[in-house]
Tab-separated table of all heavy atoms in Angstrom:
chain	number	residue	atom	x	y	z
G	8	ASP	N	118.821	88.924	85.089
G	8	ASP	CA	117.732	88.844	86.067
G	8	ASP	C	117.258	90.222	86.468
G	8	ASP	O	116.985	90.517	87.631
G	8	ASP	CB	118.210	88.056	87.300
G	8	ASP	CG	117.103	87.193	87.874
G	8	ASP	OD1	116.009	87.122	87.272
G	8	ASP	OD2	117.327	86.563	88.926
G	9	LYS	N	117.148	91.112	85.458
G	9	LYS	CA	116.711	92.489	85.665
G	9	LYS	C	115.560	92.843	84.755
G	9	LYS	O	115.481	92.400	83.605
G	9	LYS	CB	117.859	93.455	85.412
G	9	LYS	CG	118.901	93.447	86.484
G	9	LYS	CD	119.608	94.791	86.530
G	9	LYS	CE	120.709	94.737	87.531
G	9	LYS	NZ	120.327	95.272	88.789
G	10	LEU	N	114.695	93.672	85.294
G	10	LEU	CA	113.582	94.245	84.530
G	10	LEU	C	113.918	95.713	84.335
G	10	LEU	O	114.190	96.432	85.291
G	10	LEU	CB	112.285	94.114	85.303
G	10	LEU	CG	111.041	94.717	84.675
G	10	LEU	CD1	110.702	94.018	83.378
G	10	LEU	CD2	109.877	94.676	85.653
G	11	PHE	N	113.927	96.150	83.074
G	11	PHE	CA	114.219	97.534	82.742
G	11	PHE	C	112.882	98.211	82.436
G	11	PHE	O	112.186	97.845	81.506
G	11	PHE	CB	115.161	97.629	81.544
G	11	PHE	CG	116.509	97.032	81.833
G	11	PHE	CD1	116.795	95.738	81.479
G	11	PHE	CD2	117.471	97.762	82.507
G	11	PHE	CE1	118.025	95.155	81.749
G	11	PHE	CE2	118.700	97.201	82.799
G	11	PHE	CZ	118.990	95.888	82.437
G	12	ILE	N	112.518	99.190	83.255
G	12	ILE	CA	111.229	99.871	83.154
G	12	ILE	C	111.470	101.283	82.651
G	12	ILE	O	112.225	102.044	83.262
G	12	ILE	CB	110.527	99.903	84.514
G	12	ILE	CG1	110.425	98.495	85.093
G	12	ILE	CG2	109.153	100.571	84.398
G	12	ILE	CD1	110.189	98.478	86.583
G	13	ASN	N	110.853	101.630	81.550
G	13	ASN	CA	110.976	102.962	80.963
G	13	ASN	C	109.616	103.455	80.519
G	13	ASN	O	108.858	102.712	79.882
G	13	ASN	CB	111.927	102.951	79.746
G	13	ASN	CG	113.315	102.571	80.118
G	13	ASN	OD1	113.988	103.295	80.843
G	13	ASN	ND2	113.766	101.423	79.647
G	14	ALA	N	109.294	104.693	80.829
G	14	ALA	CA	108.044	105.317	80.389
G	14	ALA	C	108.335	106.756	80.045
G	14	ALA	O	109.236	107.376	80.639
G	14	ALA	CB	106.982	105.226	81.451
G	15	GLN	N	107.602	107.269	79.097
G	15	GLN	CA	107.782	108.679	78.743
G	15	GLN	C	106.423	109.331	78.572
G	15	GLN	O	105.401	108.655	78.425
G	15	GLN	CB	108.605	108.833	77.473
G	15	GLN	CG	108.024	108.179	76.246
G	15	GLN	CD	108.933	108.303	75.061
G	15	GLN	OE1	109.931	109.002	75.089
G	15	GLN	NE2	108.600	107.618	73.984
G	16	HIS	N	106.415	110.637	78.639
G	16	HIS	CA	105.189	111.442	78.501
G	16	HIS	C	104.155	111.083	79.572
G	16	HIS	O	102.949	111.134	79.298
G	16	HIS	CB	104.590	111.306	77.101
G	16	HIS	CG	105.553	111.576	76.007
G	16	HIS	ND1	106.151	112.779	75.804
G	16	HIS	CD2	106.044	110.755	75.036
G	16	HIS	CE1	106.952	112.698	74.776
G	16	HIS	NE2	106.923	111.485	74.286
G	17	LEU	N	104.623	110.751	80.770
G	17	LEU	CA	103.699	110.477	81.856
G	17	LEU	C	102.977	111.746	82.275
G	17	LEU	O	103.571	112.823	82.288
G	17	LEU	CB	104.441	109.913	83.070
G	17	LEU	CG	104.953	108.481	82.935
G	17	LEU	CD1	105.804	108.120	84.147
G	17	LEU	CD2	103.810	107.517	82.772
G	18	LYS	N	101.727	111.599	82.621
G	18	LYS	CA	100.928	112.713	83.113
G	18	LYS	C	100.954	112.639	84.627
G	18	LYS	O	100.458	111.701	85.218
G	18	LYS	CB	99.499	112.613	82.585
G	18	LYS	CG	99.416	112.678	81.090
G	18	LYS	CD	97.990	112.425	80.626
G	18	LYS	CE	97.960	112.411	79.119
G	18	LYS	NZ	97.559	111.116	78.594
G	19	GLY	N	101.579	113.597	85.249
G	19	GLY	CA	101.704	113.605	86.710
G	19	GLY	C	103.152	113.789	87.091
G	19	GLY	O	104.049	113.630	86.289
G	20	THR	N	103.390	114.159	88.339
G	20	THR	CA	104.750	114.455	88.779
G	20	THR	C	105.284	113.408	89.746
G	20	THR	O	106.472	113.408	90.022
G	20	THR	CB	104.789	115.839	89.464
G	20	THR	OG1	103.858	115.855	90.544
G	20	THR	CG2	104.470	116.944	88.485
G	21	THR	N	104.436	112.548	90.283
G	21	THR	CA	104.904	111.473	91.156
G	21	THR	C	104.345	110.149	90.659
G	21	THR	O	103.364	110.109	89.921
G	21	THR	CB	104.439	111.692	92.620
G	21	THR	OG1	103.021	111.720	92.659
G	21	THR	CG2	105.012	112.984	93.183
G	22	TYR	N	104.988	109.055	91.074
G	22	TYR	CA	104.533	107.741	90.628
G	22	TYR	C	104.573	106.753	91.784
G	22	TYR	O	105.260	106.927	92.782
G	22	TYR	CB	105.424	107.211	89.509
G	22	TYR	CG	106.811	106.824	89.977
G	22	TYR	CD1	107.070	105.554	90.458
G	22	TYR	CD2	107.848	107.744	89.987
G	22	TYR	CE1	108.335	105.205	90.934
G	22	TYR	CE2	109.109	107.424	90.441
G	22	TYR	CZ	109.332	106.155	90.909
G	22	TYR	OH	110.582	105.814	91.385
G	23	MET	N	103.865	105.667	91.612
G	23	MET	CA	103.950	104.475	92.445
G	23	MET	C	104.196	103.326	91.486
G	23	MET	O	103.618	103.287	90.401
G	23	MET	CB	102.636	104.213	93.212
G	23	MET	CG	102.310	105.280	94.228
G	23	MET	SD	103.393	105.307	95.649
G	23	MET	CE	102.949	103.790	96.455
G	24	LEU	N	105.052	102.398	91.868
G	24	LEU	CA	105.366	101.243	91.025
G	24	LEU	C	105.034	99.976	91.803
G	24	LEU	O	105.416	99.850	92.963
G	24	LEU	CB	106.847	101.232	90.636
G	24	LEU	CG	107.210	100.063	89.764
G	24	LEU	CD1	107.513	100.538	88.369
G	24	LEU	CD2	108.357	99.289	90.331
G	25	THR	N	104.305	99.051	91.154
G	25	THR	CA	104.010	97.775	91.759
G	25	THR	C	104.256	96.670	90.756
G	25	THR	O	104.102	96.863	89.545
G	25	THR	CB	102.560	97.663	92.254
G	25	THR	OG1	101.674	97.914	91.169
G	25	THR	CG2	102.256	98.615	93.389
G	26	VAL	N	104.661	95.505	91.262
G	26	VAL	CA	104.759	94.301	90.453
G	26	VAL	C	103.893	93.241	91.157
G	26	VAL	O	104.054	93.000	92.361
G	26	VAL	CB	106.223	93.793	90.368
G	26	VAL	CG1	106.288	92.497	89.552
G	26	VAL	CG2	107.122	94.850	89.737
G	27	THR	N	102.951	92.679	90.410
G	27	THR	CA	102.060	91.656	90.970
G	27	THR	C	102.209	90.361	90.192
G	27	THR	O	102.522	90.368	88.995
G	27	THR	CB	100.593	92.103	90.908
G	27	THR	OG1	100.234	92.444	89.585
G	27	THR	CG2	100.341	93.302	91.805
G	28	ASP	N	102.004	89.241	90.899
G	28	ASP	CA	102.007	87.957	90.195
G	28	ASP	C	100.619	87.749	89.609
G	28	ASP	O	99.707	88.567	89.772
G	28	ASP	CB	102.453	86.823	91.121
G	28	ASP	CG	101.533	86.570	92.301
G	28	ASP	OD1	100.351	87.056	92.294
G	28	ASP	OD2	101.950	85.899	93.240
G	29	MET	N	100.434	86.643	88.929
G	29	MET	CA	99.164	86.416	88.242
G	29	MET	C	98.009	86.100	89.200
G	29	MET	O	96.862	86.078	88.808
G	29	MET	CB	99.317	85.308	87.190
G	29	MET	CG	100.258	85.699	86.052
G	29	MET	SD	99.903	87.326	85.321
G	29	MET	CE	98.365	87.057	84.509
G	30	MET	N	98.329	85.890	90.483
G	30	MET	CA	97.279	85.681	91.485
G	30	MET	C	96.880	87.009	92.134
G	30	MET	O	96.047	87.041	93.023
G	30	MET	CB	97.787	84.698	92.559
G	30	MET	CG	98.151	83.351	91.993
G	30	MET	SD	96.761	82.524	91.169
G	30	MET	CE	95.781	82.065	92.564
G	31	GLY	N	97.531	88.105	91.680
G	31	GLY	CA	97.204	89.431	92.198
G	31	GLY	C	97.981	89.823	93.450
G	31	GLY	O	97.714	90.872	94.034
G	32	ARG	N	98.941	88.996	93.875
G	32	ARG	CA	99.750	89.315	95.052
G	32	ARG	C	100.855	90.310	94.659
G	32	ARG	O	101.523	90.115	93.650
G	32	ARG	CB	100.381	88.058	95.629
G	32	ARG	CG	99.370	87.103	96.176
G	32	ARG	CD	100.064	85.842	96.668
G	32	ARG	NE	100.643	85.135	95.540
G	32	ARG	CZ	100.464	83.845	95.273
G	32	ARG	NH1	99.719	83.112	96.064
G	32	ARG	NH2	101.038	83.284	94.239
G	33	VAL	N	101.042	91.335	95.467
G	33	VAL	CA	102.086	92.314	95.217
G	33	VAL	C	103.420	91.694	95.653
G	33	VAL	O	103.583	91.337	96.838
G	33	VAL	CB	101.831	93.642	95.969
G	33	VAL	CG1	102.996	94.601	95.804
G	33	VAL	CG2	100.526	94.276	95.484
G	34	VAL	N	104.358	91.568	94.708
G	34	VAL	CA	105.687	91.012	95.035
G	34	VAL	C	106.724	92.105	95.138
G	34	VAL	O	107.815	91.893	95.650
G	34	VAL	CB	106.108	89.943	93.994
G	34	VAL	CG1	105.177	88.741	94.049
G	34	VAL	CG2	106.177	90.520	92.606
G	35	TYR	N	106.407	93.297	94.639
G	35	TYR	CA	107.268	94.454	94.790
G	35	TYR	C	106.412	95.698	94.726
G	35	TYR	O	105.465	95.780	93.922
G	35	TYR	CB	108.319	94.511	93.663
G	35	TYR	CG	109.179	95.741	93.761
G	35	TYR	CD1	110.309	95.755	94.559
G	35	TYR	CD2	108.854	96.905	93.080
G	35	TYR	CE1	111.101	96.892	94.670
G	35	TYR	CE2	109.636	98.044	93.182
G	35	TYR	CZ	110.749	98.032	93.977
G	35	TYR	OH	111.519	99.158	94.095
G	36	GLY	N	106.735	96.680	95.546
G	36	GLY	CA	106.004	97.932	95.486
G	36	GLY	C	106.847	99.039	96.102
G	36	GLY	O	107.573	98.807	97.062
G	37	THR	N	106.733	100.214	95.538
G	37	THR	CA	107.418	101.373	96.138
G	37	THR	C	106.628	101.782	97.368
G	37	THR	O	105.385	101.796	97.362
G	37	THR	CB	107.543	102.535	95.154
G	37	THR	OG1	106.228	102.876	94.651
G	37	THR	CG2	108.448	102.180	93.988
G	38	SER	N	107.318	102.124	98.430
G	38	SER	CA	106.631	102.462	99.670
G	38	SER	C	106.101	103.892	99.677
G	38	SER	O	105.072	104.173	100.238
G	38	SER	CB	107.576	102.270	100.860
G	38	SER	OG	108.737	103.056	100.688
G	39	GLY	N	106.800	104.780	99.016
G	39	GLY	CA	106.316	106.161	98.899
G	39	GLY	C	106.216	106.475	97.409
G	39	GLY	O	106.381	105.617	96.579
G	40	GLY	N	105.928	107.649	97.094
G	40	GLY	CA	105.911	108.038	95.683
G	40	GLY	C	107.277	108.519	95.237
G	40	GLY	O	108.005	109.116	95.991
G	41	GLY	N	107.625	108.206	94.037
G	41	GLY	CA	108.872	108.707	93.467
G	41	GLY	C	108.549	109.871	92.536
G	41	GLY	O	107.395	110.093	92.184
G	42	ARG	N	109.524	110.594	92.136
G	42	ARG	CA	109.344	111.748	91.279
G	42	ARG	C	109.523	111.360	89.822
G	42	ARG	O	110.441	110.648	89.480
G	42	ARG	CB	110.337	112.851	91.609
G	42	ARG	CG	110.299	113.356	93.036
G	42	ARG	CD	109.155	114.230	93.409
G	42	ARG	NE	109.020	115.417	92.582
G	42	ARG	CZ	107.913	116.131	92.530
G	42	ARG	NH1	106.894	115.804	93.243
G	42	ARG	NH2	107.844	117.178	91.753
G	43	VAL	N	108.638	111.860	88.969
G	43	VAL	CA	108.780	111.732	87.528
G	43	VAL	C	109.631	112.903	87.075
G	43	VAL	O	109.420	114.036	87.494
G	43	VAL	CB	107.396	111.780	86.833
G	43	VAL	CG1	107.529	111.793	85.334
G	43	VAL	CG2	106.538	110.609	87.289
G	44	THR	N	110.638	112.655	86.230
G	44	THR	CA	111.535	113.727	85.805
G	44	THR	C	110.824	114.661	84.822
G	44	THR	O	109.762	114.329	84.288
G	44	THR	CB	112.808	113.166	85.136
G	44	THR	OG1	112.424	112.441	83.969
G	44	THR	CG2	113.569	112.276	86.093
G	45	GLY	N	111.450	115.823	84.554
G	45	GLY	CA	110.895	116.788	83.617
G	45	GLY	C	110.613	116.128	82.272
G	45	GLY	O	111.353	115.269	81.808
G	46	GLY	N	109.508	116.494	81.662
G	46	GLY	CA	109.105	115.892	80.393
G	46	GLY	C	108.335	114.605	80.562
G	46	GLY	O	107.964	113.949	79.592
G	47	GLY	N	108.084	114.176	81.813
G	47	GLY	CA	107.297	112.979	82.059
G	47	GLY	C	108.033	111.690	81.872
G	47	GLY	O	107.424	110.668	81.547
G	48	TYR	N	109.329	111.678	82.129
G	48	TYR	CA	110.116	110.449	81.946
G	48	TYR	C	110.289	109.700	83.272
G	48	TYR	O	110.488	110.306	84.315
G	48	TYR	CB	111.511	110.778	81.376
G	48	TYR	CG	111.429	111.265	79.976
G	48	TYR	CD1	111.462	112.630	79.694
G	48	TYR	CD2	111.333	110.391	78.898
G	48	TYR	CE1	111.384	113.100	78.403
G	48	TYR	CE2	111.242	110.858	77.612
G	48	TYR	CZ	111.276	112.208	77.365
G	48	TYR	OH	111.184	112.648	76.072
């Protein structure tokens, strides 16, 4: 019951993450920005 999220070569140093259902409702969202690690990971 886990979602594994991985991205690389991101452009930018901070991120926001959201999960929406198909009706467009946000069911999960980060409240602040998180940091992207060196190399854009």
Side-chain angles (χ1 to χ4, degrees):
D8 217 4
K9 287 207 184 263
L10 177 65
F11 297 96
I12 306 161
N13 296 294
Q15 60 183 351
H16 307 298
L17 288 174
K18 299 174 183 117
T20 56
T21 60
Y22 71 88
M23 294 291 291
L24 180 110
T25 56
V26 178
T27 55
D28 64 16
M29 294 311 291
M30 300 300 287
R32 294 178 294 231
V33 175
V34 296
Y35 177 86
T37 55
S38 57
R42 301 286 304 163
V43 175
T44 62
Y48 292 98

